[in-house]
Amino acid sequence: MVGERVCTSLYDRSRDVVSRRNGRGEKHGDVRMALDSIRISDVIPATPEKIYEAWLDAARHSAFTGGKATTDSRPGGKFTAWDGYIEGVHKELVPGRRLVQDWKSTDFPVDASYSRVVVMLEPHPEGTLVTIEHTEIPVGQGASYLEGWPQFYFVPMKKYFSKIARLQAARKPAAKAPAASKGAAKKVAAPAKKAALVKKAAPAKKVAAPAAKKAAPAAKKAAPAKKVAAPAAKKAAPTKKAAAAKKAAAAKKAAPAKKAAAVKRAAPAKKAAPKKGAASAKTAKK
């Protein structure tokens, strides 16, 4: 029964005889020790194997309880738990099914013997049904352990194994996704590669087009150079015409000057001619 809690008190007949002697060595008689017994169970979200392994591993036992634990995980090996509050000896170990321990805590009377703890692990739809039978407890302490086992074991164990289950669930989809359909992955990869090639090629064309466009303006810019050269030629032509006109004008100006010079030169000659005639006339008169 899940969540079962039972506490009973009884006389331990296996320990009927506890001899005590007085100072003179005389036997006073037999004394029977009264003992408590409890049974408690709960479902832990983990497999029996995982719980068994964690229970017998010092690091994991410390992790799921929150208190330091040590263990020699063999029949006859000693163990401690909850920072030394618990100590005992492994008596029987059946992997994934059962642990039997001699068990005592620091709350036991100084002269008290070990109690007996049996941990039973049964598969359950939600994990493992863990049942603890704790017998031969000093009388009057059974109720405290009936509360202690759930508080210091079952509750922290549920948190510990639930956290592990969540982490494993989060990792499984990522790990299984590639293995689920390698063919689909290849198909997806092929279009991805094609798309990547197309995308890479497309920018190259686009980059080339602007380069051509840039080259066209360069050609257009080069054309004005010819136009600039043409005006230079035109400017050169008027320069030739102007030079010719200047030469013609100079020639025209020079022609009257030459004529004037020729006239001036010719005029004295003509004027001089009468002097010759006058001289000859004077000679004739004489």
Side-chain angles (χ1 to χ4, degrees), residues 153-164:
Y153 271 84
F154 289 165
V155 171
M157 284 173 73
K158 286 180 180 180
K159 290 180 180 178
Y160 174 81
F161 287 107
S162 293
K163 183 178 179 180
I164 290 177

Side-chain angles (χ1 to χ4, degrees), residues 9-22:
S9 294
L10 50 84
Y11 283 107
D12 180 10
R13 296 187 178 279
S14 67
R15 300 183 186 179
D16 268 353
V17 179
V18 179
S19 299
R20 293 185 181 180
R21 298 177 182 273
N22 59 19

Side-chain angles (χ1 to χ4, degrees), residues 269-280:
K270 287 180 181 181
K271 287 181 179 180
K275 286 180 180 181
K276 290 180 180 179
S280 61

